[in-house]
Amino acid sequence: MRHDLLELVRRTVTERDPIDDDEARSIERTLSEFDRLTDPLDQELDPVHVTGSAIVVGPRGVLLLKHKRLGLWLQPGGHIDPGESPWEAALREAEEETGLTVSFTDVGDRDGWAGVPHLVHVDVHPGGRGHTHLDLRYVVDGGDADPNPPEGESQEIEWLDWPAAIERASDDRLTALLRTLAPS
């Protein structure tokens, strides 16, 4: 089953149409790492590994949080737990970091896997402790409730309308993605 999941994840990355040259390079690097790594979803095996992030959207706009360690306004996300897919990690991390109940906005069945969401972005970036994150990003619906992050998570978290979120995002690649996703 793990092999099937890895093949499915690799295929979603391969089929991704990049929004810009930065994402094209990230896709190329991610696929190269998939060829090199025994299990790119396992953070314990190599400092280079896949992570999952959630672009939390709702009637109030986009939810961004100020990363505790980095001090940057970003989307929720993080490492993949054993047995998880990148999209399950994105959903779990979004709920853990925001205190909201979230759900995917666009899911389908692929290759015998039910509920696979659309991959909206691939980004390779440095992580903590010398890691490199092959970050796979998915859109989730956060409803319209106020975020209620638990103790230990960033307490600086806000719903922002789309223009304000695009302006606030601390990462150029996230900014480019938000511009692409913003309603016309």
Side-chain angles (χ1 to χ4, degrees):
M1 176 148 156
R2 184 69 166 190
H3 176 73
D4 292 344
L5 174 60
L6 291 174
E7 285 301 313
L8 175 59
V9 172
R10 188 183 206 294
R11 192 166 31 254
T12 63
V13 173
T14 301
E15 294 171 356
R16 174 87 190 111
D17 188 20
I19 61 171
D20 56 22
D21 290 342
D22 280 337
E23 187 182 12
R25 284 188 293 277
S26 289
I27 289 170
E28 183 178 319
R29 169 81 188 274
T30 299
L31 294 173
S32 173
E33 294 295 349
F34 258 75
D35 292 341
R36 180 183 73 79
L37 296 166
T38 305
D39 185 349
L41 306 183
D42 189 335
Q43 67 172 311
E44 301 300 325
L45 294 179
D46 197 281
V48 178
H49 47 266
V50 175
T51 55
S53 288
I55 308 302
V56 182
V57 301
R60 295 167 68 179
V62 180
L63 192 76
L64 295 179
L65 55 87
K66 190 171 184 180
H67 193 281
K68 292 184 313 181
R69 186 173 39 82
L70 301 175
L72 302 173
W73 286 91
L74 302 169
Q75 76 285 349
H79 290 110
I80 298 169
D81 285 348
E84 273 186 327
S85 68
W87 52 90
E88 290 168 333
L91 197 69
R92 176 185 50 75
E93 289 282 350
E95 290 187 346
E96 286 177 1
E97 293 181 21
T98 68
L100 297 172
T101 300
V102 299
S103 60
F104 292 113
T105 62
D106 179 18
V107 296
D109 296 340
R110 289 189 61 150
D111 304 327
W113 291 81
V116 178
H118 178 70
L119 175 64
V120 298
H121 198 247
V122 178
D123 179 57
V124 177
H125 60 265
R129 304 180 314 269
H131 290 187
T132 298
H133 292 165
L134 312 171
D135 196 38
L136 306 184
R137 298 172 175 178
Y138 307 89
V139 174
V140 300
D141 181 351
D144 64 358
D146 288 334
N148 186 24
E151 188 176 321
E153 297 293 346
S154 173
Q155 299 299 303
E156 292 185 69
I157 184 169
E158 293 182 40
W159 281 111
L160 301 161
D161 64 28
W162 283 90
I166 290 166
E167 180 70 25
R168 173 87 51 96
S170 296
D171 179 82
D172 291 343
R173 293 168 311 277
L174 175 58
T175 300
L177 174 58
L178 294 177
R179 281 193 180 112
T180 301
L181 295 175
S184 311

